[in-house]
Amino acid sequence: MNDDLSRLLASLDRSGLTRRTLLGGAGAAGISAALGVSLAPASLRAATPKRGGVLKMGLGGGETTDTLDPGLSDSPVPYSVLSQWGDTIIDVSPTGELVPRIAESFSPNEDGTVWTFTIREGVRFHDGSEMTAADVVATFKRHSDENSKSGALGILQGIAGIEQNGRDVVVTLKSGSADLPYLLGDYHLVIQPNGGFDDPNAAIGTGPYKLVSAEAGVRYAFEKNQDDWDKERGFYDAVEILVINDGTARTSALQAGQVHMINRVDPKIARLMARAPGVNVTSVAGRGHYVFIMHVDKPPFDNRELRLALKWAINRQEMVDKILDGFGTVGNDIPINAAYPLFTPLPQREQDIEKAKAHYAASGHDGSPIELLVADTAFPGAVDAASLFQQSCEAAGIPLKVTRVPDDGYWSDVWNVKPFCASYWGGRPVQDQMYTTAYLSTADWNDTKFRNEAFDALIVEARAETDIARRTELYHELAKILHEEGGLICPMFNDFVDAHADAIAGWYDDPNGEMMTGRASWYTWMA
Amino acid sequence: MHPVLILVARRVALGVLLLWAASVLLFAGTMILPGDVAQSILGQSATPVALANLRAELGLNDPPLTRYLNWLGGVLQGDLGTALTNGQDIAEALGRRLGNTLFLAATAAVIAVPLAIGLGLLAARYRDRWPDKVISTFTLATVSIPEFLLGYIAIFFLSVNFRIFPSLAAVHEGMSLGERLYAVSLPALVLVLVVLGHMMRMTRAAILNVMESAYVETAELKGLRPFAVVARHAFPNAVAPVVNVVMLNLAYLVVGVVVVEVVFVYPGMGQYLVDHVSKRDVPVVQACGLIFAAVYIGLNLVADIVSIVSNPRLRHPK
């Protein structure tokens, strides 16, 4: 049984690494530390990084209202700041492997309800104090407290108890899950002294860089942590994060040589920019996707035929071409794509005006305007995408009406409130997490109000299922239900488009997030 | 008491009253915005439990009047409170931002005001001849181009192509005055171009207006050189409207430059205010609003007083 679970974990690696690679010849305890701790691909690890220099990053997505509290770090700049000074117990590699970090090994019990994480010794916080299993326990407790405002609260809800046992942290779950290590690798969960209970904003962690100064929404400065426990990362003497929210300003700062790397290159100019001298534009297919969401419990969207009519009417390829300028892939009305482990494709739904017409006729809709609410903040190009959708619907005789609303208040008054609107999802490391977050009947963020008992039962069954073939089958089943019944119209998965100067070496693509999942300052160096 | 003092005292009292009215308006305005601060902070990731927790913690369940009075009491004691969103002391954060804004505004004003008045005098002196036409056309052009476009043009030529000036004006603590001046060179340039036209044309118009009057004709008939006529006889009488427009532009340099701040990533008040408006951080919005209102009211007060002092008829009322 234990072997089954280990094999399952091994197989989660979509690059097809064998179980032996993942287990690394470890004992019967399960997965252990024999794996190298570096996330960088082996080819790059072979190169000898040069140490020194000051890395300057120009990042969009920061505001003067940002805090340093990891629990509240939800936008790109706070996320990158977190990666400089903090460590999680586990990381997910670009190829989807679990990489032990602060936990040097971990193993589940037979049914996956009790997980034991052995905490690395000799790791020191930036203030010089020793990091222990107690700090890890406190961190998880702070984020999983039901009064917590942490962004990780939702994914920790399946935890029944967290306890320290010497060097070990023992996590007990309400029901078995093979995915727990992925969840505990969530970027919010950086280990803080006493879990951050004393001062969540202290920014003291075990990461490769120490925070020197922070001015929210403007600039963050870091210096190299000389006592870093991991000598294979953090090659710069200092790192500076400049907040540049204006896309043009960000681009010109890179071109003028004022910063070395930028995030969120506008797809519309990415190709032009790639031609500029001294600049490299990188694009990675990720799990983030843009969506139009219908509340399946409210008219007219409670009508399955109408939902299908809209799903057949939308032109996904056109959106990838025009909205993402090719920097993305078509969606298939499920939140899962090939970037997920255990993914099996469904037949691709493509625009079919005839089918859309037939379904619309079958729905018996009265022909009154179907209102789609949209704002720029929903996703870049959302308003244009809605217009394209509207035109496609017109061709099928569906009276879609696009109403543009202000960015202000969009996430409070429109998203998850109005029956039909545009939105985005960042994606999750594993399928279970994505489904549990947004498609389980009881999920807070069930933004399509999708309630299907059979679907819920399948999610729970798949979570604890240790037979890979069976689990893959279950996920296929889930995808099929959502594809047919769900309120999700997913036209496209967006790429992460970043850019860096020629002066930077060691860059690799990571589908888990932008800026090498926040690890750009860890594994690149000045050429 | 001297009538000028009474006049000034009345103006100041009116200014204070206006400030109070502004604070009420600001509060009412922030109340009717859609959504609340808890929702705005948590954004798409808001769960009902997290929302309720945050609301209770931020005191959003108190009635609006209580919140307003609490805040007003604090302000009168010099305490602007703490930001709801990140718990920072507002006075401290705002002080730094205000300092940056004033630095940029002052840099631009030191260049723009003398330049505009000088060009205005020059244009009036050579009315309808080529210097006037060149000056008027150029300044009209820079006023007409949107400021963000001026900014991008400046960045494209001066920082990307020729790399003379930095495209990022992000000043931070620990920079020397020289470094700061270098950092703000491009935004200052753009701001100068934006405010130049208005002040220059007003100077020109005011001078030309005065030039029509009988005493100027007398001065000319006395045989004074044309520039002396303008500088000694016409300009003092044109001061009032010119000061008014200069003050309006100075106020703009302090409160209206958020677009330039964004383009050049300058950490001034504008961006600070916009961020906090979108997060419904009422205390910060009110503090910023009050400071903006105070700047406007204060500068207009100065303009009024200068008009009074420079006008003998107001200085010595019958």
Side-chain angles (χ1 to χ4, degrees):
Chain A
M1 192 66 171
N2 195 19
D3 265 356
D4 273 343
L5 202 56
S6 307
R7 196 175 68 236
L8 170 67
L9 285 165
S11 75
L12 290 176
D13 166 23
R14 70 196 167 82
S15 73
L17 279 176
T18 62
R19 168 181 166 218
R20 209 176 130 257
T21 320
L22 189 73
L23 296 181
I31 294 116
S32 103
L35 240 187
V37 291
S38 174
L39 289 170
S43 56
L44 283 170
R45 265 181 275 153
T48 314
K50 235 170 71 186
R51 289 176 191 269
V54 178
L55 173 69
K56 291 190 180 187
M57 297 194 266
L59 304 180
E63 293 179 85
T64 40
T65 48
D66 291 337
T67 74
L68 290 167
D69 182 347
L72 299 178
S73 297
D74 287 324
S75 45
V77 169
Y79 165 77
S80 269
V81 168
L82 214 52
S83 314
Q84 311 307 316
W85 62 261
D87 270 315
T88 49
I89 63 164
I90 284 160
D91 265 340
V92 180
S93 80
T95 45
E97 298 161 72
L98 291 166
V99 181
R101 302 287 307 172
I102 290 297
E104 60 181 23
S105 66
F106 49 92
S107 56
N109 69 345
E110 290 195 352
D111 59 359
T113 51
V114 180
W115 285 77
T116 305
F117 298 85
T118 304
I119 303 305
R120 192 177 296 278
E121 283 184 312
V123 178
R124 289 189 177 279
F125 286 117
H126 294 164
D127 62 1
S129 61
E130 172 113 26
M131 194 268 318
T132 65
D135 297 310
V136 178
V137 170
T139 298
F140 291 165
K141 284 202 165 143
R142 186 170 81 85
H143 288 274
S144 62
D145 184 273
E146 61 177 47
N147 292 319
S148 156
K149 296 177 301 246
S150 171
L153 177 60
I155 58 169
L156 297 178
Q157 271 168 348
I159 292 178
I162 307 159
E163 263 160 54
Q164 183 192 356
N165 180 10
R167 277 180 67 196
D168 292 344
V169 172
V170 182
V171 179
T172 315
L173 298 175
K174 291 170 188 160
S175 66
S177 168
D179 286 339
L180 185 72
Y182 283 100
L183 303 187
L184 295 183
D186 182 272
Y187 75 91
H188 295 98
L189 301 175
V190 301
I191 307 305
Q192 294 177 280
N194 192 26
F197 276 112
D198 307 329
D199 180 5
N201 292 305
I204 290 183
T206 58
Y209 298 101
K210 292 183 189 180
L211 184 72
V212 179
S213 80
E215 197 181 339
V218 181
R219 180 179 176 266
Y220 298 84
F222 302 86
E223 63 178 14
K224 168 78 184 147
N225 173 17
Q226 298 298 347
D227 300 324
D228 192 4
W229 61 273
D230 181 356
K231 301 295 176 199
E232 286 178 46
R233 64 170 179 183
F235 306 121
Y236 299 102
D237 290 336
V239 173
E240 225 177 276
I241 293 179
L242 292 166
V243 182
I244 312 179
N245 287 320
D246 183 60
T248 314
R250 209 156 56 238
T251 318
S252 48
L254 181 67
Q255 287 181 296
Q258 289 196 286
V259 294
H260 300 110
M261 45 182 77
I262 59 171
N263 66 347
R264 309 212 157 181
V265 176
D266 184 346
K268 291 191 181 71
I269 62 157
R271 280 179 217 289
L272 283 173
M273 204 177 157
R275 279 192 247 139
V279 172
N280 300 290
V281 177
T282 55
S283 153
V284 196
R287 305 182 182 101
H289 49 286
Y290 298 161
V291 296
F292 296 107
I293 41 181
M294 309 175 273
H295 285 183
V296 298
D297 61 345
K298 296 191 187 78
F301 309 105
D302 52 353
N303 184 326
R304 179 171 176 269
E305 292 295 330
L306 184 85
R307 297 200 296 272
L308 282 174
L310 288 167
K311 286 179 181 178
W312 283 109
I314 198 166
N315 189 338
R316 295 172 185 77
Q317 190 58 47
E318 183 185 32
M319 294 214 184
V320 171
D321 294 342
K322 292 184 180 165
I323 304 298
L324 299 176
D325 208 44
F327 289 97
T329 45
V330 290
N332 199 16
D333 302 338
I334 52 170
I336 307 298
N337 66 355
Y340 281 89
L342 310 186
F343 169 78
T344 44
L346 293 171
Q348 176 66 42
R349 193 176 270 143
E350 278 165 34
Q351 187 186 34
D352 189 328
I353 296 297
E354 290 314 309
K355 277 189 184 159
K357 275 183 182 163
H359 282 292
Y360 184 66
S363 75
H365 185 253
D366 60 5
S368 58
I370 300 171
E371 192 178 33
L372 169 63
L373 298 182
V374 63
D376 281 322
T377 187
F379 58 81
V383 177
D384 297 336
S387 304
L388 291 175
F389 191 13
Q390 195 252 333
Q391 281 165 19
S392 306
C393 283
E394 209 171 277
I398 305 171
L400 188 70
K401 180 181 156 215
V402 175
T403 304
R404 188 178 178 174
V405 294
D407 285 356
D408 228 22
Y410 190 78
W411 301 115
S412 54
D413 301 336
V414 177
W415 175 77
N416 218 355
V417 177
K418 300 288 185 204
F420 195 20
C421 73
S423 180
Y424 74 95
W425 276 99
R428 295 292 184 273
V430 285
Q431 298 198 34
D432 175 60
Q433 203 185 342
M434 191 65 234
Y435 284 130
T436 307
T437 309
Y439 300 93
L440 198 66
S441 295
T442 51
D444 286 325
W445 297 346
N446 185 343
D447 57 9
T448 53
K449 311 294 168 208
F450 185 66
R451 294 192 180 87
N452 184 319
E453 277 174 29
F455 190 81
D456 290 355
L458 279 173
I459 291 179
V460 177
E461 191 188 340
R463 188 183 297 155
E465 178 57 64
T466 52
D467 179 71
I468 301 146
R470 175 75 188 130
R471 203 175 187 213
T472 309
E473 219 171 89
L474 290 171
Y475 281 132
H476 190 78
E477 218 35 56
L478 282 165
K480 235 160 74 184
I481 295 176
L482 204 60
H483 182 78
E484 287 298 318
E485 307 286 334
L488 168 73
I489 301 174
C490 174
M492 51 195 151
F493 283 79
N494 57 302
D495 287 358
F496 300 111
V497 188
D498 300 325
H500 61 272
D502 273 348
I504 300 298
W507 186 280
Y508 61 84
D509 292 341
D510 188 337
N512 293 311
E514 62 182 32
M515 301 304 279
M516 294 165 53
T517 318
R519 304 288 184 253
S521 65
W522 291 23
Y523 296 124
T524 66
W525 63 89
M526 291 283 172
Chain B
M1 205 153 59
H2 196 282
V4 169
L5 282 182
I6 296 173
L7 217 56
V8 169
R10 210 183 284 159
R11 293 277 169 184
V12 172
L14 202 64
V16 172
L17 192 70
L18 273 174
L19 260 182
W20 174 77
S23 81
V24 172
L25 276 180
L26 280 165
F27 193 83
T30 46
M31 283 286 102
I32 56 178
L33 286 171
D36 72 358
V37 61
Q39 184 76 57
S40 306
I41 291 172
L42 295 173
Q44 193 239 29
S45 59
T47 61
V49 180
L51 268 182
N53 293 339
L54 196 58
R55 279 205 187 104
E57 191 186 307
L58 298 178
L60 295 178
N61 299 326
D62 291 341
L65 191 63
T66 315
R67 279 151 65 195
Y68 173 67
L69 289 178
N70 285 345
W71 172 75
L72 199 64
V75 170
L76 292 177
Q77 297 161 43
D79 173 21
L80 292 173
T82 51
L84 296 179
T85 42
N86 56 6
Q88 280 181 350
D89 184 57
I90 296 176
E92 197 193 314
L94 201 59
R96 218 170 25 227
R97 292 304 187 105
L98 183 63
N100 287 345
T101 289
L102 292 181
F103 179 73
L104 178 59
T107 310
V110 163
I111 301 169
V113 174
L115 192 64
I117 291 176
L119 288 176
L121 290 176
L122 209 63
R125 166 66 184 79
Y126 295 103
R127 180 187 185 179
D128 293 336
R129 285 161 59 189
W130 69 264
D132 180 26
K133 286 190 174 142
V134 168
I135 293 169
S136 293
T137 313
F138 175 72
T139 52
L140 197 63
T142 60
V143 165
S144 311
I145 301 174
E147 55 214 78
F148 69 89
L149 188 62
L150 275 179
Y152 289 145
I153 293 171
I155 288 176
F156 180 73
F157 286 109
L158 298 177
S159 39
V160 175
N161 272 12
F162 298 110
R163 299 207 177 188
I164 303 170
F165 295 118
S167 70
L168 295 181
V171 293
H172 56 85
E173 266 160 65
M175 279 175 121
S176 68
L177 181 67
E179 285 170 332
R180 271 175 192 265
L181 283 173
Y182 180 61
V184 302
S185 45
L186 281 190
L189 172 73
V190 168
L191 288 179
V192 165
L193 292 177
V194 169
V195 297
L196 197 59
H198 193 195
M199 289 193 287
M200 173 267 160
R201 291 178 78 80
M202 199 62 196
T203 307
R204 179 181 175 276
I207 299 260
L208 287 179
N209 192 25
V210 175
M211 293 295 272
E212 305 289 320
S213 46
Y215 60 82
V216 171
E217 201 176 346
T218 310
E220 278 169 358
L221 290 174
K222 276 197 303 187
L224 287 182
R225 280 181 299 113
F227 201 79
V229 174
V230 170
R232 297 210 5 227
H233 294 276
F235 186 66
N237 285 295
V239 157
V242 170
V243 166
N244 259 312
V245 76
V246 166
M247 289 304 156
L248 272 181
N249 277 290
L250 289 186
Y252 162 81
L253 285 178
V254 175
V255 309
V257 298
V258 61
V259 175
V260 173
E261 284 178 14
V262 169
V263 168
F264 292 102
V265 199
Y266 188 74
M269 290 267 290
Q271 191 56 49
Y272 185 74
L273 174 65
V274 169
D275 280 355
H276 286 84
V277 168
S278 65
K279 289 281 167 77
R280 302 292 174 282
D281 199 333
V282 177
V284 178
V285 173
Q286 284 178 317
C288 287
L290 266 195
I291 285 174
F292 285 168
V295 166
Y296 249 109
I297 292 168
L299 288 174
N300 277 301
L301 206 62
V302 172
D304 281 355
I305 292 168
V306 170
S307 307
I308 292 167
V309 173
S310 72
N311 188 335
R313 273 167 299 188
L314 288 176
R315 214 161 47 206
H316 306 289
K318 278 190 187 141

